[in-house]
Every structure is written in C-alpha cells, then in structure tokens.
Amino acid sequence: MASKSLPVFLLFLSISPLLIFVTADEHEFGRPIDRKALGLKKQKLSHFRFYWHDILSGRNPTSVPVVQSPMNSTTFFGSVNMLDNPITLGPELSSKLVGRAQGFYSSACQSEVVLLMAMNFEFIEGKYNGSTITVLGRNPVFHKVREMPVIGGSGLFRFARGYVEARTHWFSATTGDATVEYNVYVWHY
Ligand SMILES: *[C@@H]1O[C@H](CO)[C@@H](O)[C@H](O)[C@H]1NC(C)=O
Ligand SMILES: *[C@@H]1O[C@H](CO)[C@@H](O)[C@H](O)[C@H]1NC(C)=O
C-alpha cells in the first residue's frame, strides 16, 4: 500500500510550487509589458500653436481670484486665480475655439511677478477632441518668452512630455485681461 501511495505524494510535491506560483501571479502588483499591449507605436513629436485668453473683466470672466494675497505685496504673493480659459486658433477671441485651459495660477515670488501655473489643456479640435495636455511650470509673466514643462497628458497624449513657450500677445494693465500665444512641443505616441 505504502509503495502505491508514494508516487502520488511525490506528484503533489512536484506540482505544489507551481500552485504557489499561480496563486502569487493572481495578485501580482507590477510587471513589465510589451508596448504593443497598449497599442503604442512609434513616438512622435508634435507642435501646436494657439492663443490663451485670460479674461478677468466683464460679466463672464473665465479667470477668477479665489485667494487674495494675505499681505501687502507688490507681486500679489500668495494669490490664486482659478481659470477655465478659452483657447483659440487665432489671436482674436472670436477665432476658432480649439479647446479650454483649466486649472489655476498662483503668485509664487516676492520680488517679481512669477506665477506657478498648473493647468490642463483640453482640446476639442479634430482627432485631438477629448485629449489633454498637462502643464506645470514657472511663469515670469513680464518676460518675453516663458518656457514651462509639459508633464503629461491623456488620450492621444498618453506618456506626453515636452514644453510650452508662452508669449504675451496683448495685456490690459487696467483690467488684467491678457491674450497669450502658446507654442506647445510635445512627444507622444
Ligand atoms: C503697502 O505698501 C506700500 C508700499 O510698500 C505702502 O505705501 C502702503 O502704505 C502699504 N499699505 C498697507 C495697507 O500696509
Ligand atoms: C468632441 O467629442 C464630444 C464627445 O465625444 C462630442 O460631443 C463633440 O461633438 C466633439 N466635438 C467636436 C468639435 O468634434
């Protein structure tokens, strides 16, 4: 009897590590995968140009102060504006709407006006409709060209990285309204 049950016991011993492996695999946390599993092809570089309208004045502002500077600061240090700004193909607000910039900027410097920008560009144009690009960066607003990093994206911009160049096209010192040209250079799939 004992001689007959031995092979069964050995069989159990030999498959039990496999059972443990399969059980562990079910709860696996991370593993490398092939890029094809996500349908990712060759990485490409794209350039986008549009105009960003920061509208503080009038009855329908798109950029609103949500936190005032808590001190008497010439640079409005600590203030925060929340924005849902239209972005258009041309510099005129009436030109074609290609998306919106949603996020906030905050005054982050005590010696000059430098904004911390945190915003998502949500596009509605053509195949980019619904895709987003996220910008997080330092914006010294009175400089001619401000460069800020593209830190990611969604949709067609998954795995995005790159930078933007912002140039003030028009600014009103009385209302604070501004139109800014954005050139976006982004790597994506
Ligand atoms: C704010 O600062 C300016 C210049 O530094 C000064 O003239 C003004 O009196 C200050 N205002 C207040 C309310 O402290
Ligand atoms: C963008 O996509 C949304 C949702 O799928 C759709 O309702 C809208 O009409 C599209 N806009 C354009 C401009 O294609």
Side-chain angles (χ1 to χ4, degrees):
M1 286 305 248
S3 64
K4 272 188 183 171
S5 62
L6 189 60
V8 177
F9 175 67
L10 281 176
L11 184 65
F12 177 73
L13 268 187
S14 65
I15 64 166
S16 59
L18 188 65
L19 284 174
I20 289 163
F21 175 75
V22 167
T23 307
D25 196 41
E26 233 174 88
H27 299 284
E28 193 178 34
F29 179 57
R31 69 188 168 105
I33 60 166
D34 194 290
R35 69 164 71 178
K36 290 189 192 102
L38 294 182
L40 301 176
K41 294 174 193 118
K42 202 174 178 307
Q43 206 173 30
K44 52 183 174 281
L45 185 63
S46 298
H47 170 223
F48 300 88
R49 189 177 78 153
F50 49 77
Y51 291 84
W52 175 94
H53 303 271
D54 201 39
I55 306 162
L56 291 85
S57 67
R59 296 176 59 165
N60 297 304
T62 62
S63 179
V64 294
V66 291
V67 177
Q68 304 287 334
S69 177
M71 55 214 270
N72 185 15
S73 164
T74 54
T75 64
F76 312 104
F77 184 64
S79 65
V80 178
N81 260 52
M82 207 73 209
L83 60 94
D84 182 5
N85 287 349
I87 54 180
T88 58
L89 203 51
E92 303 305 326
L93 186 56
S94 58
S95 88
K96 189 177 192 188
L97 187 75
V98 292
R100 306 197 73 83
Q102 298 169 335
F104 69 88
Y105 56 75
S106 180
S107 175
C109 176
Q110 293 190 276
S111 57
E112 69 170 308
V113 182
V114 178
L115 304 179
L116 163 69
M117 308 286 291
M119 60 182 171
N120 300 310
F121 293 132
E122 188 215 9
F123 298 112
I124 59 166
E125 178 61 13
K127 67 172 178 177
Y128 301 102
N129 185 15
S131 293
T132 69
I133 284 178
T134 301
V135 170
L136 179 71
R138 179 179 188 271
N139 185 1
V141 294
F142 293 117
H143 291 205
K144 198 168 187 307
V145 184
R146 292 90 70 186
E147 182 181 325
M148 292 173 273
V150 167
I151 61 159
S154 71
L156 291 181
F157 301 110
R158 287 173 182 169
F159 297 105
R161 61 201 165 85
Y163 65 97
V164 303
E165 285 179 354
R167 293 173 176 82
T168 302
H169 177 77
W170 172 83
F171 172 68
S172 164
T174 46
T175 62
D177 290 358
T179 300
V180 179
E181 177 188 339
Y182 271 81
N183 280 274
V184 181
Y185 299 90
V186 63
W187 280 108
H188 61 110
Y189 286 93

